[in-house]
Amino acid sequence: MQTEKNTKKILLLPGDGIGPEVFGPVRDILEHLVTSGHVRLEWEEGLIGGIATDRTGLPLPPDTIEKADRCDAVLLGAVGGPKYDALPYEKRPERALLGIREHLGAFANLRPARLFPELAGSSTLKPEIISDLDLMVVRELTGGIYFGKPRGIVTDQGVRRGINTETYTEPEIARIMRVAFDLARTRRKKVTSVDKANVLESSVLWREVAVSVHKEYPDVELSHMYVDNAAMQLVRNPKQFDVLVTGNLFGDILSDEAAQLTGSIGMLASASIGGKTGLYEPIHGSAPDIAGKDIANPLAMILSLALLFRYSLQREDLAGVLERSVQNVLKEGYRTTDIQGAGTKKIVGTREMGSLVFHELKKVLENSQR
């Protein structure tokens, strides 16, 4: 294994709900990698989301921002919960998630949907539809309807009206397209741009810019698809896709749909890149209904750490070790409740699944040094 010349720094933000639970194995893995000399790494922890509101009055306190600015990457668990639903919009936990992405300049959200062969029986689709599935959703993250203005709820002549604005600039579209094309060059060289150009002017511009940027990548195939058709095609024939690139709202929806193809949303990691500091998180959310019950799937959290090693620390070797460790545990038949199905030998909880991956990681590392 290679050694680091410089010590890297990461910020850990467990957050709310099942976030602190699925973070358990992450800490064990990090401590082992450092003490065994495989990486020079330091980390600190911070508050975000509901727990930050409880302790500081703000979902994204300045202290967390300051810590993030000092780090090479941020690893986040989850935010939110029903106890915060009545808070004003600006104090809700979800604002912290949007806020830290915007602050870090992380405009490109990468959501790989790769089916581990051992989980083919856990998906709701037929195995022949999803076997060997490996696609990447590239979601624009800091523009679109989530950030466009004007926005809000206004009252006009006694009638309340909710307003959200879908807006994109040419530079915003061009930079996310380049991310998608660059990724496709490392994969199967196919990009599908997803829009709604038949009814939305913002999508007309999106498609025009996609075509323009594509001229810089003559070795990559570009196709276009309306979002409603893309949603259908993801469950009809998902293996036709390599890289899908789309806007903030469409990407939010389609990537969750893609997650189900892999067997469970508890298997899908994500990377938000583009700025100085990358942000990594599972897409499963805080799942407050199962928090504290030791049944949450920690694998998406562990796989998010793998993405952190790959994209922010440039340690493809350690990313591969983590992914192999997860797959080896699945091969042995261990499953959390959300991914049980054909091939299951034992249902395990959050802590046991994390422990299994941790011990497998140590074996993989030992074998790699022989």
Side-chain angles (χ1 to χ4, degrees), residues 201-235:
E201 284 81 1
S202 60
S203 282
V204 171
L205 179 63
W206 181 280
R207 186 171 292 206
E208 290 176 355
V209 176
V211 171
S212 177
V213 174
H214 179 233
K215 295 175 184 177
E216 303 170 20
Y217 299 84
D219 56 320
V220 178
E221 175 187 337
L222 172 65
S223 60
H224 306 274
M225 191 173 289
Y226 295 144
V227 64
D228 43 355
N229 186 31
M232 180 184 71
Q233 294 296 332
L234 270 173
V235 294

mmCIF file of all heavy atoms in Angstrom, residues 201-235:
data_model
loop_
_atom_site.group_PDB
_atom_site.id
_atom_site.type_symbol
_atom_site.label_atom_id
_atom_site.label_comp_id
_atom_site.label_asym_id
_atom_site.label_seq_id
_atom_site.Cartn_x
_atom_site.Cartn_y
_atom_site.Cartn_z
ATOM 1 N N GLU A 201 -38.320 26.356 -20.427
ATOM 2 C CA GLU A 201 -37.271 27.142 -21.078
ATOM 3 C C GLU A 201 -35.906 26.877 -20.452
ATOM 4 O O GLU A 201 -34.880 26.881 -21.151
ATOM 5 C CB GLU A 201 -37.593 28.637 -20.993
ATOM 6 C CG GLU A 201 -38.665 29.103 -21.956
ATOM 7 C CD GLU A 201 -40.077 28.825 -21.453
ATOM 8 O OE1 GLU A 201 -40.210 28.276 -20.332
ATOM 9 O OE2 GLU A 201 -41.039 29.158 -22.162
ATOM 10 N N SER A 202 -35.869 26.646 -19.130
ATOM 11 C CA SER A 202 -34.589 26.342 -18.494
ATOM 12 C C SER A 202 -34.000 25.056 -19.065
ATOM 13 O O SER A 202 -32.770 24.926 -19.193
ATOM 14 C CB SER A 202 -34.766 26.211 -16.971
ATOM 15 O OG SER A 202 -35.684 25.179 -16.650
ATOM 16 N N SER A 203 -34.856 24.115 -19.442
ATOM 17 C CA SER A 203 -34.393 22.872 -20.052
ATOM 18 C C SER A 203 -33.985 23.065 -21.511
ATOM 19 O O SER A 203 -33.116 22.341 -22.019
ATOM 20 C CB SER A 203 -35.471 21.787 -19.952
ATOM 21 O OG SER A 203 -35.509 21.221 -18.658
ATOM 22 N N VAL A 204 -34.603 24.019 -22.192
ATOM 23 C CA VAL A 204 -34.167 24.332 -23.558
ATOM 24 C C VAL A 204 -32.716 24.800 -23.529
ATOM 25 O O VAL A 204 -31.874 24.352 -24.324
ATOM 26 C CB VAL A 204 -35.072 25.410 -24.193
ATOM 27 C CG1 VAL A 204 -34.485 25.879 -25.529
ATOM 28 C CG2 VAL A 204 -36.486 24.869 -24.394
ATOM 29 N N LEU A 205 -32.408 25.701 -22.591
ATOM 30 C CA LEU A 205 -31.032 26.167 -22.444
ATOM 31 C C LEU A 205 -30.129 25.019 -22.023
ATOM 32 O O LEU A 205 -29.005 24.883 -22.536
ATOM 33 C CB LEU A 205 -30.959 27.299 -21.419
ATOM 34 C CG LEU A 205 -29.557 27.853 -21.149
ATOM 35 C CD1 LEU A 205 -28.976 28.491 -22.411
ATOM 36 C CD2 LEU A 205 -29.577 28.850 -19.990
ATOM 37 N N TRP A 206 -30.597 24.192 -21.100
ATOM 38 C CA TRP A 206 -29.825 23.033 -20.642
ATOM 39 C C TRP A 206 -29.383 22.174 -21.833
ATOM 40 O O TRP A 206 -28.226 21.805 -21.963
ATOM 41 C CB TRP A 206 -30.678 22.218 -19.671
ATOM 42 C CG TRP A 206 -30.010 21.009 -19.089
ATOM 43 C CD1 TRP A 206 -29.855 19.793 -19.688
ATOM 44 C CD2 TRP A 206 -29.386 20.905 -17.809
ATOM 45 N NE1 TRP A 206 -29.178 18.926 -18.858
ATOM 46 C CE2 TRP A 206 -28.886 19.575 -17.691
ATOM 47 C CE3 TRP A 206 -29.222 21.777 -16.729
ATOM 48 C CZ2 TRP A 206 -28.232 19.116 -16.549
ATOM 49 C CZ3 TRP A 206 -28.567 21.318 -15.595
ATOM 50 C CH2 TRP A 206 -28.081 20.011 -15.513
ATOM 51 N N ARG A 207 -30.319 21.878 -22.725
ATOM 52 C CA ARG A 207 -30.018 21.014 -23.865
ATOM 53 C C ARG A 207 -29.067 21.705 -24.841
ATOM 54 O O ARG A 207 -28.147 21.075 -25.378
ATOM 55 C CB ARG A 207 -31.304 20.588 -24.565
ATOM 56 C CG ARG A 207 -31.071 19.579 -25.665
ATOM 57 C CD ARG A 207 -32.374 18.991 -26.200
ATOM 58 N NE ARG A 207 -33.060 18.142 -25.223
ATOM 59 C CZ ARG A 207 -33.892 17.151 -25.560
ATOM 60 N NH1 ARG A 207 -34.115 16.869 -26.848
ATOM 61 N NH2 ARG A 207 -34.497 16.446 -24.629
ATOM 62 N N GLU A 208 -29.271 22.991 -25.069
ATOM 63 C CA GLU A 208 -28.388 23.712 -25.983
ATOM 64 C C GLU A 208 -26.950 23.721 -25.473
ATOM 65 O O GLU A 208 -25.997 23.526 -26.247
ATOM 66 C CB GLU A 208 -28.888 25.152 -26.158
ATOM 67 C CG GLU A 208 -30.184 25.271 -26.945
ATOM 68 C CD GLU A 208 -30.693 26.704 -27.024
ATOM 69 O OE1 GLU A 208 -30.073 27.584 -26.375
ATOM 70 O OE2 GLU A 208 -31.702 26.940 -27.716
ATOM 71 N N VAL A 209 -26.777 23.941 -24.167
ATOM 72 C CA VAL A 209 -25.430 23.967 -23.595
ATOM 73 C C VAL A 209 -24.813 22.573 -23.617
ATOM 74 O O VAL A 209 -23.616 22.414 -23.880
ATOM 75 C CB VAL A 209 -25.456 24.546 -22.164
ATOM 76 C CG1 VAL A 209 -24.068 24.471 -21.534
ATOM 77 C CG2 VAL A 209 -25.955 25.986 -22.177
ATOM 78 N N ALA A 210 -25.620 21.559 -23.362
ATOM 79 C CA ALA A 210 -25.113 20.180 -23.421
ATOM 80 C C ALA A 210 -24.544 19.876 -24.796
ATOM 81 O O ALA A 210 -23.453 19.288 -24.927
ATOM 82 C CB ALA A 210 -26.231 19.201 -23.071
ATOM 83 N N VAL A 211 -25.268 20.277 -25.832
ATOM 84 C CA VAL A 211 -24.809 20.038 -27.197
ATOM 85 C C VAL A 211 -23.516 20.804 -27.473
ATOM 86 O O VAL A 211 -22.575 20.291 -28.102
ATOM 87 C CB VAL A 211 -25.900 20.441 -28.208
ATOM 88 C CG1 VAL A 211 -25.362 20.415 -29.637
ATOM 89 C CG2 VAL A 211 -27.105 19.517 -28.077
ATOM 90 N N SER A 212 -23.432 22.023 -26.980
ATOM 91 C CA SER A 212 -22.241 22.844 -27.199
ATOM 92 C C SER A 212 -21.008 22.259 -26.507
ATOM 93 O O SER A 212 -19.936 22.140 -27.116
ATOM 94 C CB SER A 212 -22.501 24.272 -26.702
ATOM 95 O OG SER A 212 -21.345 25.071 -26.837
ATOM 96 N N VAL A 213 -21.149 21.875 -25.235
ATOM 97 C CA VAL A 213 -20.020 21.326 -24.479
ATOM 98 C C VAL A 213 -19.591 19.980 -25.052
ATOM 99 O O VAL A 213 -18.407 19.624 -25.045
ATOM 100 C CB VAL A 213 -20.373 21.200 -22.979
ATOM 101 C CG1 VAL A 213 -19.265 20.488 -22.211
ATOM 102 C CG2 VAL A 213 -20.626 22.576 -22.384
ATOM 103 N N HIS A 214 -20.539 19.247 -25.587
ATOM 104 C CA HIS A 214 -20.229 17.926 -26.145
ATOM 105 C C HIS A 214 -19.191 18.005 -27.260
ATOM 106 O O HIS A 214 -18.442 17.039 -27.504
ATOM 107 C CB HIS A 214 -21.516 17.273 -26.662
ATOM 108 C CG HIS A 214 -21.303 15.926 -27.273
ATOM 109 N ND1 HIS A 214 -21.755 15.591 -28.542
ATOM 110 C CD2 HIS A 214 -20.654 14.824 -26.810
ATOM 111 C CE1 HIS A 214 -21.414 14.350 -28.813
ATOM 112 N NE2 HIS A 214 -20.738 13.866 -27.790
ATOM 113 N N LYS A 215 -19.095 19.145 -27.927
ATOM 114 C CA LYS A 215 -18.125 19.301 -29.006
ATOM 115 C C LYS A 215 -16.693 19.141 -28.504
ATOM 116 O O LYS A 215 -15.789 18.815 -29.277
ATOM 117 C CB LYS A 215 -18.306 20.656 -29.672
ATOM 118 C CG LYS A 215 -19.648 20.812 -30.384
ATOM 119 C CD LYS A 215 -19.828 22.221 -30.928
ATOM 120 C CE LYS A 215 -21.213 22.394 -31.564
ATOM 121 N NZ LYS A 215 -21.437 23.795 -32.040
ATOM 122 N N GLU A 216 -16.498 19.363 -27.186
ATOM 123 C CA GLU A 216 -15.167 19.201 -26.589
ATOM 124 C C GLU A 216 -14.855 17.729 -26.308
ATOM 125 O O GLU A 216 -13.718 17.400 -25.970
ATOM 126 C CB GLU A 216 -15.083 19.986 -25.277
ATOM 127 C CG GLU A 216 -15.395 21.469 -25.401
ATOM 128 C CD GLU A 216 -15.543 22.133 -24.045
ATOM 129 O OE1 GLU A 216 -15.039 21.566 -23.039
ATOM 130 O OE2 GLU A 216 -16.161 23.215 -23.974
ATOM 131 N N TYR A 217 -15.846 16.865 -26.449
ATOM 132 C CA TYR A 217 -15.699 15.449 -26.095
ATOM 133 C C TYR A 217 -16.190 14.567 -27.247
ATOM 134 O O TYR A 217 -17.178 13.837 -27.108
ATOM 135 C CB TYR A 217 -16.497 15.132 -24.822
ATOM 136 C CG TYR A 217 -16.055 15.910 -23.608
ATOM 137 C CD1 TYR A 217 -16.535 17.198 -23.357
ATOM 138 C CD2 TYR A 217 -15.164 15.354 -22.688
ATOM 139 C CE1 TYR A 217 -16.137 17.915 -22.233
ATOM 140 C CE2 TYR A 217 -14.760 16.059 -21.559
ATOM 141 C CZ TYR A 217 -15.245 17.338 -21.347
ATOM 142 O OH TYR A 217 -14.849 18.042 -20.219
ATOM 143 N N PRO A 218 -15.536 14.612 -28.381
ATOM 144 C CA PRO A 218 -16.014 13.840 -29.540
ATOM 145 C C PRO A 218 -15.958 12.333 -29.328
ATOM 146 O O PRO A 218 -16.624 11.582 -30.054
ATOM 147 C CB PRO A 218 -15.057 14.273 -30.665
ATOM 148 C CG PRO A 218 -13.822 14.738 -29.959
ATOM 149 C CD PRO A 218 -14.305 15.371 -28.690
ATOM 150 N N ASP A 219 -15.188 11.891 -28.327
ATOM 151 C CA ASP A 219 -15.072 10.451 -28.060
ATOM 152 C C ASP A 219 -16.185 9.927 -27.170
ATOM 153 O O ASP A 219 -16.275 8.721 -26.918
ATOM 154 C CB ASP A 219 -13.720 10.149 -27.404
ATOM 155 C CG ASP A 219 -13.502 10.958 -26.136
ATOM 156 O OD1 ASP A 219 -13.864 12.157 -26.117
ATOM 157 O OD2 ASP A 219 -12.957 10.412 -25.158
ATOM 158 N N VAL A 220 -17.051 10.813 -26.675
ATOM 159 C CA VAL A 220 -18.146 10.424 -25.782
ATOM 160 C C VAL A 220 -19.474 10.583 -26.513
ATOM 161 O O VAL A 220 -19.728 11.605 -27.154
ATOM 162 C CB VAL A 220 -18.150 11.281 -24.494
ATOM 163 C CG1 VAL A 220 -19.329 10.891 -23.597
ATOM 164 C CG2 VAL A 220 -16.830 11.138 -23.741
ATOM 165 N N GLU A 221 -20.320 9.584 -26.392
ATOM 166 C CA GLU A 221 -21.650 9.628 -27.010
ATOM 167 C C GLU A 221 -22.606 10.422 -26.129
ATOM 168 O O GLU A 221 -22.651 10.233 -24.916
ATOM 169 C CB GLU A 221 -22.177 8.202 -27.183
ATOM 170 C CG GLU A 221 -23.600 8.106 -27.715
ATOM 171 C CD GLU A 221 -24.128 6.692 -27.702
ATOM 172 O OE1 GLU A 221 -23.304 5.745 -27.712
ATOM 173 O OE2 GLU A 221 -25.365 6.514 -27.663
ATOM 174 N N LEU A 222 -23.380 11.320 -26.714
ATOM 175 C CA LEU A 222 -24.369 12.113 -25.991
ATOM 176 C C LEU A 222 -25.759 11.841 -26.539
ATOM 177 O O LEU A 222 -25.983 11.876 -27.747
ATOM 178 C CB LEU A 222 -24.072 13.608 -26.111
ATOM 179 C CG LEU A 222 -25.148 14.553 -25.553
ATOM 180 C CD1 LEU A 222 -25.287 14.401 -24.038
ATOM 181 C CD2 LEU A 222 -24.851 16.011 -25.928
ATOM 182 N N SER A 223 -26.708 11.577 -25.644
ATOM 183 C CA SER A 223 -28.111 11.463 -26.016
ATOM 184 C C SER A 223 -28.936 12.298 -25.040
ATOM 185 O O SER A 223 -28.451 12.705 -23.975
ATOM 186 C CB SER A 223 -28.579 10.002 -25.987
ATOM 187 O OG SER A 223 -28.431 9.456 -24.693
ATOM 188 N N HIS A 224 -30.178 12.574 -25.405
ATOM 189 C CA HIS A 224 -31.068 13.384 -24.584
ATOM 190 C C HIS A 224 -32.334 12.592 -24.282
ATOM 191 O O HIS A 224 -32.797 11.804 -25.103
ATOM 192 C CB HIS A 224 -31.431 14.688 -25.305
ATOM 193 C CG HIS A 224 -30.255 15.484 -25.751
ATOM 194 N ND1 HIS A 224 -29.607 16.389 -24.950
ATOM 195 C CD2 HIS A 224 -29.592 15.486 -26.937
ATOM 196 C CE1 HIS A 224 -28.597 16.928 -25.613
ATOM 197 N NE2 HIS A 224 -28.568 16.394 -26.829
ATOM 198 N N MET A 225 -32.891 12.843 -23.098
ATOM 199 C CA MET A 225 -34.112 12.130 -22.717
ATOM 200 C C MET A 225 -34.938 13.021 -21.798
ATOM 201 O O MET A 225 -34.401 13.673 -20.893
ATOM 202 C CB MET A 225 -33.742 10.822 -21.994
ATOM 203 C CG MET A 225 -34.920 9.877 -21.781
ATOM 204 S SD MET A 225 -34.389 8.254 -21.114
ATOM 205 C CE MET A 225 -33.564 7.541 -22.535
ATOM 206 N N TYR A 226 -36.252 13.066 -22.044
ATOM 207 C CA TYR A 226 -37.133 13.786 -21.135
ATOM 208 C C TYR A 226 -37.202 13.041 -19.802
ATOM 209 O O TYR A 226 -37.141 11.808 -19.762
ATOM 210 C CB TYR A 226 -38.532 13.927 -21.726
ATOM 211 C CG TYR A 226 -38.600 14.783 -22.973
ATOM 212 C CD1 TYR A 226 -39.471 14.459 -24.006
ATOM 213 C CD2 TYR A 226 -37.799 15.916 -23.118
ATOM 214 C CE1 TYR A 226 -39.553 15.235 -25.157
ATOM 215 C CE2 TYR A 226 -37.871 16.702 -24.259
ATOM 216 C CZ TYR A 226 -38.747 16.357 -25.278
ATOM 217 O OH TYR A 226 -38.811 17.121 -26.414
ATOM 218 N N VAL A 227 -37.374 13.793 -18.727
ATOM 219 C CA VAL A 227 -37.272 13.200 -17.393
ATOM 220 C C VAL A 227 -38.351 12.149 -17.144
ATOM 221 O O VAL A 227 -38.094 11.142 -16.462
ATOM 222 C CB VAL A 227 -37.305 14.300 -16.309
ATOM 223 C CG1 VAL A 227 -38.640 15.045 -16.297
ATOM 224 C CG2 VAL A 227 -36.995 13.708 -14.937
ATOM 225 N N ASP A 228 -39.553 12.340 -17.670
ATOM 226 C CA ASP A 228 -40.598 11.345 -17.443
ATOM 227 C C ASP A 228 -40.247 10.019 -18.121
ATOM 228 O O ASP A 228 -40.447 8.943 -17.549
ATOM 229 C CB ASP A 228 -41.967 11.859 -17.902
ATOM 230 C CG ASP A 228 -41.938 12.585 -19.234
ATOM 231 O OD1 ASP A 228 -40.837 12.796 -19.794
ATOM 232 O OD2 ASP A 228 -43.018 12.960 -19.726
ATOM 233 N N ASN A 229 -39.680 10.097 -19.320
ATOM 234 C CA ASN A 229 -39.240 8.881 -20.001
ATOM 235 C C ASN A 229 -38.057 8.256 -19.269
ATOM 236 O O ASN A 229 -37.958 7.029 -19.152
ATOM 237 C CB ASN A 229 -38.867 9.194 -21.453
ATOM 238 C CG ASN A 229 -38.541 7.941 -22.249
ATOM 239 O OD1 ASN A 229 -39.070 6.865 -22.000
ATOM 240 N ND2 ASN A 229 -37.651 8.082 -23.218
ATOM 241 N N ALA A 230 -37.147 9.098 -18.776
ATOM 242 C CA ALA A 230 -35.993 8.576 -18.043
ATOM 243 C C ALA A 230 -36.428 7.802 -16.809
ATOM 244 O O ALA A 230 -35.858 6.752 -16.480
ATOM 245 C CB ALA A 230 -35.064 9.720 -17.650
ATOM 246 N N ALA A 231 -37.448 8.305 -16.118
ATOM 247 C CA ALA A 231 -37.953 7.601 -14.937
ATOM 248 C C ALA A 231 -38.491 6.227 -15.315
ATOM 249 O O ALA A 231 -38.269 5.237 -14.599
ATOM 250 C CB ALA A 231 -39.044 8.435 -14.264
ATOM 251 N N MET A 232 -39.186 6.157 -16.443
ATOM 252 C CA MET A 232 -39.710 4.872 -16.896
ATOM 253 C C MET A 232 -38.593 3.943 -17.341
ATOM 254 O O MET A 232 -38.567 2.755 -17.002
ATOM 255 C CB MET A 232 -40.686 5.085 -18.058
ATOM 256 C CG MET A 232 -41.285 3.785 -18.592
ATOM 257 S SD MET A 232 -42.340 4.034 -20.032
ATOM 258 C CE MET A 232 -41.142 4.460 -21.282
ATOM 259 N N GLN A 233 -37.621 4.484 -18.089
ATOM 260 C CA GLN A 233 -36.543 3.656 -18.615
ATOM 261 C C GLN A 233 -35.646 3.100 -17.509
ATOM 262 O O GLN A 233 -35.058 2.017 -17.666
ATOM 263 C CB GLN A 233 -35.702 4.460 -19.615
ATOM 264 C CG GLN A 233 -36.440 4.858 -20.886
ATOM 265 C CD GLN A 233 -36.843 3.645 -21.714
ATOM 266 O OE1 GLN A 233 -36.216 2.602 -21.677
ATOM 267 N NE2 GLN A 233 -37.927 3.793 -22.477
ATOM 268 N N LEU A 234 -35.555 3.810 -16.392
ATOM 269 C CA LEU A 234 -34.732 3.315 -15.286
ATOM 270 C C LEU A 234 -35.258 2.000 -14.726
ATOM 271 O O LEU A 234 -34.480 1.176 -14.235
ATOM 272 C CB LEU A 234 -34.649 4.364 -14.172
ATOM 273 C CG LEU A 234 -33.505 5.367 -14.260
ATOM 274 C CD1 LEU A 234 -33.658 6.447 -13.195
ATOM 275 C CD2 LEU A 234 -32.159 4.680 -14.127
ATOM 276 N N VAL A 235 -36.559 1.797 -14.777
ATOM 277 C CA VAL A 235 -37.104 0.522 -14.297
ATOM 278 C C VAL A 235 -37.373 -0.451 -15.440
ATOM 279 O O VAL A 235 -37.530 -1.651 -15.205
ATOM 280 C CB VAL A 235 -38.400 0.742 -13.476
ATOM 281 C CG1 VAL A 235 -38.100 1.492 -12.196
ATOM 282 C CG2 VAL A 235 -39.461 1.479 -14.285
#
